[in-house]
Amino acid sequence: MKTEYKIFVGVAVFLFGAAAVYGFYTHGAQGQIEWIGLVALILSGLLCSMCGGFFWFVARRIDLRPEDRDDGEIAEGAGELGFFSPGSYWPFGLALSAAIAGLGLVFWMWWLIALGMLMVVFAACGLLFEYYSGSRHPVEH
């Protein structure tokens, strides 16, 4: 986790520096600060800082992983990494419902926004509980 938090903190420092340069540049070129870009850069830096802080917090509580050590070997990282879904249609449904909600926001149609948000909730629940539905009884041979 040390590698991850260093990457996120590095990107955050870059974004805060870019925000400072952007603010000075737009103030010098236009006579006023362009607030949309400045706020976007600052918020992006804060988001990267939040992710980096989380990884730093976790890195202090776990043992060093092979990729965090200089003497780590590739074979030390072998083993089960977790469960990954072999295929699912729920991400497509989630993207489609988010697009419908976004279309409702673009054209400011309250009924389309409500429909899209309802579909987002349904698709997110379907994605979340995809492997928790169905029979709970093991198959006996």
PDB file of all heavy atoms in Angstrom, residues 83 85 87-88 90 122-139:
ATOM      1  N   PHE A  83     -12.337 -13.123  -5.708  1.00  0.00           N
ATOM      2  CA  PHE A  83     -13.337 -13.605  -6.652  1.00  0.00           C
ATOM      3  C   PHE A  83     -13.642 -12.512  -7.661  1.00  0.00           C
ATOM      4  O   PHE A  83     -13.895 -11.364  -7.283  1.00  0.00           O
ATOM      5  CB  PHE A  83     -14.618 -13.994  -5.913  1.00  0.00           C
ATOM      6  CG  PHE A  83     -15.724 -14.365  -6.840  1.00  0.00           C
ATOM      7  CD1 PHE A  83     -15.712 -15.568  -7.514  1.00  0.00           C
ATOM      8  CD2 PHE A  83     -16.774 -13.491  -7.056  1.00  0.00           C
ATOM      9  CE1 PHE A  83     -16.732 -15.897  -8.383  1.00  0.00           C
ATOM     10  CE2 PHE A  83     -17.799 -13.807  -7.915  1.00  0.00           C
ATOM     11  CZ  PHE A  83     -17.769 -15.023  -8.590  1.00  0.00           C
ATOM     12  N   SER A  85     -16.026 -11.747 -11.098  1.00  0.00           N
ATOM     13  CA  SER A  85     -17.179 -12.221 -11.846  1.00  0.00           C
ATOM     14  C   SER A  85     -16.774 -12.608 -13.263  1.00  0.00           C
ATOM     15  O   SER A  85     -16.107 -11.847 -13.957  1.00  0.00           O
ATOM     16  CB  SER A  85     -18.236 -11.124 -11.903  1.00  0.00           C
ATOM     17  OG  SER A  85     -19.340 -11.528 -12.664  1.00  0.00           O
ATOM     18  N   GLY A  87     -18.704 -12.875 -15.828  1.00  0.00           N
ATOM     19  CA  GLY A  87     -19.461 -12.095 -16.798  1.00  0.00           C
ATOM     20  C   GLY A  87     -20.773 -11.653 -16.195  1.00  0.00           C
ATOM     21  O   GLY A  87     -21.406 -12.392 -15.456  1.00  0.00           O
ATOM     22  N   SER A  88     -21.159 -10.428 -16.471  1.00  0.00           N
ATOM     23  CA  SER A  88     -22.389  -9.897 -15.908  1.00  0.00           C
ATOM     24  C   SER A  88     -22.937  -8.823 -16.837  1.00  0.00           C
ATOM     25  O   SER A  88     -22.182  -8.073 -17.460  1.00  0.00           O
ATOM     26  CB  SER A  88     -22.101  -9.297 -14.526  1.00  0.00           C
ATOM     27  OG  SER A  88     -23.243  -8.674 -14.011  1.00  0.00           O
ATOM     28  N   TRP A  90     -25.095  -6.567 -15.532  1.00  0.00           N
ATOM     29  CA  TRP A  90     -25.486  -5.447 -14.671  1.00  0.00           C
ATOM     30  C   TRP A  90     -24.672  -4.180 -14.899  1.00  0.00           C
ATOM     31  O   TRP A  90     -25.237  -3.077 -14.819  1.00  0.00           O
ATOM     32  CB  TRP A  90     -25.440  -5.871 -13.204  1.00  0.00           C
ATOM     33  CG  TRP A  90     -26.581  -6.758 -12.831  1.00  0.00           C
ATOM     34  CD1 TRP A  90     -26.516  -8.080 -12.513  1.00  0.00           C
ATOM     35  CD2 TRP A  90     -27.968  -6.410 -12.752  1.00  0.00           C
ATOM     36  NE1 TRP A  90     -27.764  -8.571 -12.246  1.00  0.00           N
ATOM     37  CE2 TRP A  90     -28.681  -7.549 -12.387  1.00  0.00           C
ATOM     38  CE3 TRP A  90     -28.674  -5.232 -12.973  1.00  0.00           C
ATOM     39  CZ2 TRP A  90     -30.046  -7.560 -12.222  1.00  0.00           C
ATOM     40  CZ3 TRP A  90     -30.044  -5.238 -12.806  1.00  0.00           C
ATOM     41  CH2 TRP A  90     -30.716  -6.387 -12.438  1.00  0.00           C
ATOM     42  N   PHE A 122     -31.946   0.343  -8.890  1.00  0.00           N
ATOM     43  CA  PHE A 122     -32.268  -1.047  -9.217  1.00  0.00           C
ATOM     44  C   PHE A 122     -31.049  -1.778  -9.786  1.00  0.00           C
ATOM     45  O   PHE A 122     -30.733  -2.907  -9.385  1.00  0.00           O
ATOM     46  CB  PHE A 122     -33.437  -1.094 -10.205  1.00  0.00           C
ATOM     47  CG  PHE A 122     -33.835  -2.471 -10.600  1.00  0.00           C
ATOM     48  CD1 PHE A 122     -34.511  -3.291  -9.722  1.00  0.00           C
ATOM     49  CD2 PHE A 122     -33.509  -2.966 -11.857  1.00  0.00           C
ATOM     50  CE1 PHE A 122     -34.871  -4.584 -10.085  1.00  0.00           C
ATOM     51  CE2 PHE A 122     -33.853  -4.244 -12.241  1.00  0.00           C
ATOM     52  CZ  PHE A 122     -34.541  -5.050 -11.343  1.00  0.00           C
ATOM     53  N   ALA A 123     -30.342  -1.136 -10.719  1.00  0.00           N
ATOM     54  CA  ALA A 123     -29.178  -1.777 -11.339  1.00  0.00           C
ATOM     55  C   ALA A 123     -28.039  -1.933 -10.333  1.00  0.00           C
ATOM     56  O   ALA A 123     -27.334  -2.947 -10.350  1.00  0.00           O
ATOM     57  CB  ALA A 123     -28.719  -0.970 -12.550  1.00  0.00           C
ATOM     58  N   ALA A 124     -27.844  -0.958  -9.461  1.00  0.00           N
ATOM     59  CA  ALA A 124     -26.791  -1.070  -8.447  1.00  0.00           C
ATOM     60  C   ALA A 124     -27.100  -2.203  -7.475  1.00  0.00           C
ATOM     61  O   ALA A 124     -26.201  -2.956  -7.086  1.00  0.00           O
ATOM     62  CB  ALA A 124     -26.627   0.245  -7.706  1.00  0.00           C
ATOM     63  N   CYS A 125     -28.359  -2.337  -7.085  1.00  0.00           N
ATOM     64  CA  CYS A 125     -28.749  -3.451  -6.209  1.00  0.00           C
ATOM     65  C   CYS A 125     -28.573  -4.779  -6.926  1.00  0.00           C
ATOM     66  O   CYS A 125     -28.127  -5.764  -6.326  1.00  0.00           O
ATOM     67  CB  CYS A 125     -30.184  -3.282  -5.734  1.00  0.00           C
ATOM     68  SG  CYS A 125     -30.385  -1.960  -4.536  1.00  0.00           S
ATOM     69  N   GLY A 126     -28.926  -4.834  -8.205  1.00  0.00           N
ATOM     70  CA  GLY A 126     -28.737  -6.063  -8.974  1.00  0.00           C
ATOM     71  C   GLY A 126     -27.274  -6.449  -9.070  1.00  0.00           C
ATOM     72  O   GLY A 126     -26.914  -7.617  -8.935  1.00  0.00           O
ATOM     73  N   LEU A 127     -26.400  -5.462  -9.289  1.00  0.00           N
ATOM     74  CA  LEU A 127     -24.972  -5.725  -9.362  1.00  0.00           C
ATOM     75  C   LEU A 127     -24.418  -6.162  -8.008  1.00  0.00           C
ATOM     76  O   LEU A 127     -23.612  -7.088  -7.914  1.00  0.00           O
ATOM     77  CB  LEU A 127     -24.240  -4.479  -9.847  1.00  0.00           C
ATOM     78  CG  LEU A 127     -22.735  -4.574 -10.041  1.00  0.00           C
ATOM     79  CD1 LEU A 127     -22.396  -5.566 -11.131  1.00  0.00           C
ATOM     80  CD2 LEU A 127     -22.171  -3.207 -10.367  1.00  0.00           C
ATOM     81  N   LEU A 128     -24.874  -5.520  -6.959  1.00  0.00           N
ATOM     82  CA  LEU A 128     -24.382  -5.811  -5.613  1.00  0.00           C
ATOM     83  C   LEU A 128     -24.799  -7.194  -5.135  1.00  0.00           C
ATOM     84  O   LEU A 128     -24.007  -7.935  -4.558  1.00  0.00           O
ATOM     85  CB  LEU A 128     -24.878  -4.751  -4.638  1.00  0.00           C
ATOM     86  CG  LEU A 128     -24.415  -4.880  -3.194  1.00  0.00           C
ATOM     87  CD1 LEU A 128     -22.910  -4.723  -3.118  1.00  0.00           C
ATOM     88  CD2 LEU A 128     -25.104  -3.854  -2.334  1.00  0.00           C
ATOM     89  N   PHE A 129     -26.058  -7.547  -5.394  1.00  0.00           N
ATOM     90  CA  PHE A 129     -26.595  -8.804  -4.873  1.00  0.00           C
ATOM     91  C   PHE A 129     -26.642  -9.914  -5.924  1.00  0.00           C
ATOM     92  O   PHE A 129     -27.368 -10.890  -5.760  1.00  0.00           O
ATOM     93  CB  PHE A 129     -27.993  -8.576  -4.295  1.00  0.00           C
ATOM     94  CG  PHE A 129     -27.975  -7.649  -3.116  1.00  0.00           C
ATOM     95  CD1 PHE A 129     -28.620  -6.423  -3.187  1.00  0.00           C
ATOM     96  CD2 PHE A 129     -27.322  -8.000  -1.954  1.00  0.00           C
ATOM     97  CE1 PHE A 129     -28.606  -5.565  -2.104  1.00  0.00           C
ATOM     98  CE2 PHE A 129     -27.301  -7.147  -0.865  1.00  0.00           C
ATOM     99  CZ  PHE A 129     -27.941  -5.931  -0.936  1.00  0.00           C
ATOM    100  N   GLU A 130     -25.872  -9.791  -6.987  1.00  0.00           N
ATOM    101  CA  GLU A 130     -25.916 -10.757  -8.074  1.00  0.00           C
ATOM    102  C   GLU A 130     -25.588 -12.174  -7.608  1.00  0.00           C
ATOM    103  O   GLU A 130     -26.217 -13.136  -8.041  1.00  0.00           O
ATOM    104  CB  GLU A 130     -24.923 -10.326  -9.153  1.00  0.00           C
ATOM    105  CG  GLU A 130     -24.876 -11.229 -10.343  1.00  0.00           C
ATOM    106  CD  GLU A 130     -23.976 -10.672 -11.425  1.00  0.00           C
ATOM    107  OE1 GLU A 130     -23.192  -9.749 -11.152  1.00  0.00           O
ATOM    108  OE2 GLU A 130     -24.082 -11.171 -12.547  1.00  0.00           O
ATOM    109  N   TYR A 131     -24.638 -12.315  -6.730  1.00  0.00           N
ATOM    110  CA  TYR A 131     -24.225 -13.642  -6.291  1.00  0.00           C
ATOM    111  C   TYR A 131     -24.831 -14.024  -4.944  1.00  0.00           C
ATOM    112  O   TYR A 131     -24.437 -15.014  -4.347  1.00  0.00           O
ATOM    113  CB  TYR A 131     -22.702 -13.736  -6.242  1.00  0.00           C
ATOM    114  CG  TYR A 131     -22.125 -13.679  -7.630  1.00  0.00           C
ATOM    115  CD1 TYR A 131     -21.580 -12.504  -8.123  1.00  0.00           C
ATOM    116  CD2 TYR A 131     -22.194 -14.775  -8.466  1.00  0.00           C
ATOM    117  CE1 TYR A 131     -21.082 -12.446  -9.405  1.00  0.00           C
ATOM    118  CE2 TYR A 131     -21.701 -14.726  -9.750  1.00  0.00           C
ATOM    119  CZ  TYR A 131     -21.140 -13.559 -10.223  1.00  0.00           C
ATOM    120  OH  TYR A 131     -20.663 -13.491 -11.493  1.00  0.00           O
ATOM    121  N   TYR A 132     -25.776 -13.239  -4.454  1.00  0.00           N
ATOM    122  CA  TYR A 132     -26.455 -13.560  -3.205  1.00  0.00           C
ATOM    123  C   TYR A 132     -27.894 -14.005  -3.431  1.00  0.00           C
ATOM    124  O   TYR A 132     -28.622 -14.209  -2.481  1.00  0.00           O
ATOM    125  CB  TYR A 132     -26.446 -12.358  -2.260  1.00  0.00           C
ATOM    126  CG  TYR A 132     -25.068 -12.000  -1.808  1.00  0.00           C
ATOM    127  CD1 TYR A 132     -24.418 -10.889  -2.318  1.00  0.00           C
ATOM    128  CD2 TYR A 132     -24.400 -12.783  -0.882  1.00  0.00           C
ATOM    129  CE1 TYR A 132     -23.143 -10.567  -1.908  1.00  0.00           C
ATOM    130  CE2 TYR A 132     -23.123 -12.463  -0.464  1.00  0.00           C
ATOM    131  CZ  TYR A 132     -22.509 -11.354  -0.973  1.00  0.00           C
ATOM    132  OH  TYR A 132     -21.239 -11.037  -0.572  1.00  0.00           O
ATOM    133  N   SER A 133     -28.317 -14.128  -4.665  1.00  0.00           N
ATOM    134  CA  SER A 133     -29.687 -14.535  -4.950  1.00  0.00           C
ATOM    135  C   SER A 133     -29.694 -15.983  -5.404  1.00  0.00           C
ATOM    136  O   SER A 133     -28.674 -16.572  -5.743  1.00  0.00           O
ATOM    137  CB  SER A 133     -30.284 -13.638  -6.042  1.00  0.00           C
ATOM    138  OG  SER A 133     -29.535 -13.756  -7.218  1.00  0.00           O
ATOM    139  N   GLY A 134     -30.865 -16.570  -5.408  1.00  0.00           N
ATOM    140  CA  GLY A 134     -30.987 -17.951  -5.849  1.00  0.00           C
ATOM    141  C   GLY A 134     -30.993 -18.916  -4.681  1.00  0.00           C
ATOM    142  O   GLY A 134     -31.185 -18.538  -3.528  1.00  0.00           O
ATOM    143  N   SER A 135     -30.783 -20.169  -4.970  1.00  0.00           N
ATOM    144  CA  SER A 135     -30.856 -21.225  -3.966  1.00  0.00           C
ATOM    145  C   SER A 135     -29.669 -21.166  -3.017  1.00  0.00           C
ATOM    146  O   SER A 135     -28.536 -20.962  -3.429  1.00  0.00           O
ATOM    147  CB  SER A 135     -30.875 -22.580  -4.674  1.00  0.00           C
ATOM    148  OG  SER A 135     -30.838 -23.590  -3.709  1.00  0.00           O
ATOM    149  N   ARG A 136     -29.943 -21.324  -1.745  1.00  0.00           N
ATOM    150  CA  ARG A 136     -28.884 -21.325  -0.740  1.00  0.00           C
ATOM    151  C   ARG A 136     -28.509 -22.747  -0.324  1.00  0.00           C
ATOM    152  O   ARG A 136     -27.642 -22.948   0.501  1.00  0.00           O
ATOM    153  CB  ARG A 136     -29.349 -20.566   0.499  1.00  0.00           C
ATOM    154  CG  ARG A 136     -29.683 -19.150   0.220  1.00  0.00           C
ATOM    155  CD  ARG A 136     -28.744 -18.262   0.977  1.00  0.00           C
ATOM    156  NE  ARG A 136     -29.125 -16.894   0.829  1.00  0.00           N
ATOM    157  CZ  ARG A 136     -28.472 -16.036   0.063  1.00  0.00           C
ATOM    158  NH1 ARG A 136     -27.425 -16.418  -0.604  1.00  0.00           N
ATOM    159  NH2 ARG A 136     -28.856 -14.784  -0.021  1.00  0.00           N
ATOM    160  N   HIS A 137     -29.182 -23.728  -0.880  1.00  0.00           N
ATOM    161  CA  HIS A 137     -28.924 -25.098  -0.510  1.00  0.00           C
ATOM    162  C   HIS A 137     -27.845 -25.705  -1.395  1.00  0.00           C
ATOM    163  O   HIS A 137     -27.927 -25.583  -2.624  1.00  0.00           O
ATOM    164  CB  HIS A 137     -30.190 -25.937  -0.603  1.00  0.00           C
ATOM    165  CG  HIS A 137     -31.319 -25.358   0.217  1.00  0.00           C
ATOM    166  ND1 HIS A 137     -31.292 -25.354   1.590  1.00  0.00           N
ATOM    167  CD2 HIS A 137     -32.467 -24.760  -0.131  1.00  0.00           C
ATOM    168  CE1 HIS A 137     -32.386 -24.774   2.047  1.00  0.00           C
ATOM    169  NE2 HIS A 137     -33.125 -24.408   1.009  1.00  0.00           N
ATOM    170  N   PRO A 138     -26.852 -26.341  -0.797  1.00  0.00           N
ATOM    171  CA  PRO A 138     -25.802 -26.947  -1.642  1.00  0.00           C
ATOM    172  C   PRO A 138     -26.362 -28.147  -2.404  1.00  0.00           C
ATOM    173  O   PRO A 138     -27.261 -28.826  -1.965  1.00  0.00           O
ATOM    174  CB  PRO A 138     -24.738 -27.370  -0.626  1.00  0.00           C
ATOM    175  CG  PRO A 138     -25.465 -27.499   0.674  1.00  0.00           C
ATOM    176  CD  PRO A 138     -26.589 -26.500   0.620  1.00  0.00           C
ATOM    177  N   VAL A 139     -25.785 -28.366  -3.548  1.00  0.00           N
ATOM    178  CA  VAL A 139     -26.203 -29.475  -4.395  1.00  0.00           C
ATOM    179  C   VAL A 139     -25.571 -30.759  -3.836  1.00  0.00           C
ATOM    180  O   VAL A 139     -24.362 -30.829  -3.635  1.00  0.00           O
ATOM    181  CB  VAL A 139     -25.764 -29.260  -5.849  1.00  0.00           C
ATOM    182  CG1 VAL A 139     -26.136 -30.444  -6.708  1.00  0.00           C
ATOM    183  CG2 VAL A 139     -26.370 -27.980  -6.390  1.00  0.00           C
TER     184      VAL A 139
END
